[in-house]
Amino acid sequence: MHQLQSHLQLRLTRKTEHKEGCERRALSWCETGYRGFQTSAACLKNRAARVRVGKGDRPVMYEEAHPPHFIAHRKGWLSQHTSNLDGEGGAAERTVEDVFVRKFIFGTFHGCLANEVVIKRRGNVLVVCAVFLQRLPPQKFYFLLGYSETLLSHFYKCPVKLEVQTLEGRVPYKYL
Amino acid sequence: MAASTMCTAWVSCITRKHCHGVFGIIRSPLFRGACYSTALSVPTNKDVMTRGNRSTMVRRPKREPAAPRTDKMTVDQDWSSVYPTAASFKPSTVPLPIRMGYPVKRGVPPEKKGNLELIKIPNFLHLTPAAIKRQCAALSVFCTKWPETLDSEAKCEQHFPIQVKMTDFVFAGPSVRNPKARVSTLTVKVSSLNLDDHGRKKLIKLAGERHNKETDTLTFTADRCPLRRQNYDYAMYLLTVLYHESSKHEPWEKEKTEADMEEYLWESSTSERNALETLLRMKGSEEGFAPTREELLSSRPMQEYRNSVTNLKNVGENESTLLQYKESVKNLLNL
């Protein structure tokens, strides 16, 4: 307790010192008038959903190895519903539902997800397809499955089914 | 101090007893570490793994994962029992050596185990021809035969002149109800309704935009009610009311003027009057008899002229009608 208090006091004093120092230095800082501008060429790289190439020791799944411009060429869609068709509504609501379901599954089965969650909608049934690692005992798995299904069904007022596969370990596509 | 040590001993006693799942009664708390219990259970393998006992780490023997179902599948199995309904792809259930995905350099596409691409795509493993045949056979029990006498479109039209169109919508969402599904459209041919000439004209005037001139059909689209049945009833009611109203003769209908006429009638028009006057003057100036109006009207050139003028006004101006008019005028005036 005493140690903690003394530690805090030390931190405070250090902070005030830094402040004073800043203030003292601030005058000279303003006087010199520091302004900067870009001297090198701007490099507008695309960084969305891309895993940058590294040493070659990082295992990478098929899903994350392919950047987004490969969707519809080498990758499929993780979520399927009819709201994006012509004349259909509810696209925003479906998207928000998808985001929530993904975060929910990620948190409920923490550390067990091998890959992204695939969400399919058949009529009013919400089918959540997930690939898990065998990190939990089966009884816990079954309980969490039932819990997720019940909770999500009550939340979204529609039948929610979880179609689950389990793997021993992650299957890497390549090493980056 | 003694009290504190006794406290700690008592606490440890209680926790150990909770481990064993048995509650004991402390007979004499004064003695250090003395705790009696009425029944003592032998620590089982399960108890050893529960909390509080970290000294002996005995691992439960890990269960080996079972072989996939594909190993036990026979060639002539009933596939509909493996995939009875639409389900995502399960690699341990589908006995095919499928690979999917873009291959790595000098490699092959990834295998089906843990392949997310195979899960993403919709599959039709539940719709094999055998499964479809079985489902159709089950549904055919509820079907009735199409009547043989209704073998042509014309016969269908004759016996069932009213056509009702209703739409069902299939889409993905939490609710199955679609507000667009309440619309009900009713189409009927005016010629199939039992109306005389006056009734027909009145019906067309009353219907307005709902009547299609080319096909001679009346179309009623009802969407003002929340339910499809209600909209259908409303459309039928509209048809009934329209029919009955057009059959009636109102007293003010006698005041129909030439501007209200739908098509050109030559019988009491200025064209008839002018032609008659011209002919009468022509014939009157000649010597001989002065023909009567009825004779003039019933003469052939007059009838031809009448036809050509009616054609021009009703059908429109094109080469054939203008030619016909020219010929008839020439005949009439003996040019």
Side-chain angles (χ1 to χ4, degrees):
Chain A
M1 194 66 185
H2 295 292
Q3 283 176 345
L4 189 68
Q5 280 179 351
S6 58
H7 179 67
L8 275 170
Q9 279 172 0
L10 202 70
R11 283 287 302 259
L12 283 165
T13 46
R14 274 217 197 108
K15 261 194 181 167
T16 45
E17 276 175 12
H18 180 69
K19 233 189 187 172
E20 285 164 19
C22 257
E23 277 168 16
R24 262 186 258 123
R25 271 185 265 124
L27 291 165
S28 57
W29 186 82
C30 278
E31 273 176 12
T32 51
Y34 171 76
R35 272 174 210 213
F37 60 92
Q38 177 98 11
T39 48
S40 57
C43 187
L44 303 161
K45 270 188 178 328
N46 272 343
R47 297 203 73 92
R50 279 169 179 81
V51 177
R52 296 283 153 179
V53 169
K55 289 266 190 316
D57 54 353
R58 180 181 166 170
V60 140
M61 313 292 290
Y62 188 93
E63 188 61 36
E64 50 194 25
H66 287 96
H69 64 266
F70 282 127
I71 296 175
H73 297 269
R74 297 185 194 175
K75 284 207 302 193
W77 280 269
L78 286 169
S79 161
Q80 283 174 357
H81 52 83
T82 59
S83 304
N84 287 326
L85 296 172
D86 183 34
E88 301 282 338
E93 284 93 1
R94 302 296 95 76
T95 317
V96 169
E97 281 168 25
D98 282 355
V99 170
F100 178 83
V101 166
R102 277 176 217 282
K103 285 211 179 296
F104 183 88
I105 300 291
F106 178 77
T108 318
F109 299 87
H110 195 77
C112 297
L113 263 182
N115 219 331
E116 299 275 341
V117 172
V118 171
I119 299 176
K120 296 185 185 185
R121 281 180 179 79
R122 286 188 205 117
N124 72 335
V125 177
L126 191 69
V127 181
V128 181
C129 311
V131 183
F132 292 126
L133 300 169
Q134 289 160 3
R135 287 245 179 104
L136 292 172
Q139 291 92 338
K140 288 199 182 168
F141 245 120
Y142 282 122
F143 168 75
L144 286 175
L145 282 179
Y147 157 82
S148 321
E149 282 192 4
T150 328
L151 209 69
L152 288 172
S153 308
H154 278 278
F155 193 65
Y156 284 123
K157 306 284 182 277
C158 65
V160 176
K161 294 203 176 112
L162 240 62
E163 292 186 5
V164 154
Q165 296 171 28
T166 49
L167 294 175
E168 293 274 308
R170 284 201 174 90
V171 179
Y173 175 64
K174 56 167 137 180
Y175 291 87
L176 288 178
Chain B
M1 280 135 63
S4 60
T5 45
M6 241 187 340
C7 239
T8 48
W10 189 36
V11 164
S12 65
C13 263
I14 298 292
T15 49
R16 214 170 288 131
K17 278 213 219 78
H18 275 285
C19 268
H20 291 252
V22 166
F23 284 104
I25 306 161
I26 300 171
R27 291 287 158 87
S28 47
L30 293 166
F31 292 99
R32 249 177 67 171
C35 30
Y36 295 90
S37 50
T38 46
L40 208 70
S41 58
V42 178
T44 54
N45 206 12
K46 194 172 129 193
D47 293 343
V48 162
M49 272 194 66
T50 47
R51 53 195 155 100
N53 207 339
R54 288 192 198 278
S55 50
T56 47
M57 288 293 282
V58 177
R59 266 190 203 280
R60 210 183 317 166
K62 195 171 175 194
R63 242 177 42 189
E64 283 298 314
R69 191 173 158 182
T70 48
D71 294 346
K72 298 172 215 147
M73 282 181 173
T74 54
V75 177
D76 55 350
Q77 70 171 337
D78 179 29
W79 182 250
S80 322
S81 52
V82 182
Y83 265 88
T85 47
S88 60
F89 183 85
K90 291 180 191 67
S92 57
T93 324
V94 178
L96 302 167
I98 302 175
R99 285 178 175 272
M100 177 146 173
Y102 193 80
V104 262
K105 231 185 242 184
R106 307 173 88 215
V108 286
E111 56 169 10
K112 64 177 182 177
K113 198 171 161 210
N115 197 329
L116 204 67
E117 299 300 313
L118 282 164
I119 301 172
K120 282 181 198 172
I121 52 166
N123 63 60
F124 295 98
L125 292 161
H126 58 291
L127 290 175
T128 48
I132 295 175
K133 221 183 254 183
R134 205 187 287 186
Q135 286 175 9
C136 288
L139 282 172
S140 64
V141 181
F142 302 102
C143 299
T144 50
K145 257 191 116 185
W146 182 262
E148 287 107 13
T149 43
L150 284 178
D151 47 5
S152 70
E153 192 70 32
K155 277 200 192 152
C156 291
E157 278 251 9
Q158 181 203 349
H159 291 283
F160 301 99
I162 302 178
Q163 283 183 344
V164 183
K165 214 180 280 182
M166 297 176 187
T167 331
D168 280 301
F169 290 86
V170 180
F171 62 103
S175 158
V176 280
R177 320 255 173 248
N178 194 327
K180 291 191 273 191
R182 72 180 196 284
V183 175
S184 195
T185 313
L186 203 138
T187 3
V188 66
K189 264 214 158 79
V190 180
S191 48
S192 56
L193 297 170
N194 207 2
L195 283 171
D196 58 348
D197 190 46
H198 155 264
R200 190 173 172 279
K201 289 211 174 93
K202 188 168 176 189
L203 184 132
I204 291 169
K205 258 206 183 0
L206 284 172
E209 269 186 4
R210 295 174 192 82
H211 175 254
N212 187 348
K213 237 189 219 166
E214 279 108 60
T215 52
D216 196 32
T217 42
L218 266 179
T219 317
F220 294 111
T221 311
D223 63 346
R224 54 172 63 187
C225 303
L227 294 177
R228 189 194 282 164
R229 186 84 211 165
Q230 294 170 344
N231 279 320
Y232 165 74
D233 290 340
Y234 178 65
M236 289 300 288
Y237 159 77
L238 275 181
L239 182 66
T240 322
V241 159
L242 192 66
Y243 177 77
H244 285 295
E245 281 295 322
S246 41
S247 318
K248 281 192 218 167
H249 285 262
E250 299 282 344
W252 43 260
E253 281 177 33
K254 293 199 188 81
E255 298 159 20
K256 193 173 181 186
T257 59
E258 206 178 302
D260 297 321
M261 298 285 186
E262 294 85 11
E263 52 182 16
Y264 182 75
L265 268 180
W266 191 79
E267 265 64 43
S268 53
S269 66
T270 44
S271 170
E272 186 198 29
R273 199 164 23 97
N274 288 342
L276 271 175
E277 277 179 22
T278 321
L279 277 177
L280 275 171
R281 259 190 258 138
M282 271 170 60
K283 295 280 195 288
S285 63
E286 289 169 19
E287 64 278 355
F289 55 93
T292 54
R293 293 177 86 88
E294 287 73 28
E295 276 181 20
L296 276 174
L297 272 174
S298 54
S299 63
R300 257 206 83 213
M302 201 61 157
Q303 289 296 315
E304 276 179 20
Y305 178 70
R306 172 189 172 276
N307 287 339
S308 64
V309 171
T310 323
N311 245 357
L312 257 181
K313 293 270 183 176
N314 284 339
V315 176
E317 288 184 19
N318 53 26
E319 285 217 17
S320 55
T321 46
L322 283 171
L323 209 70
Q324 198 187 4
Y325 181 70
K326 182 175 108 177
E327 294 301 318
S328 62
V329 167
K330 278 199 329 201
N331 281 342
L332 196 68
L333 304 175
N334 295 329
L335 292 169

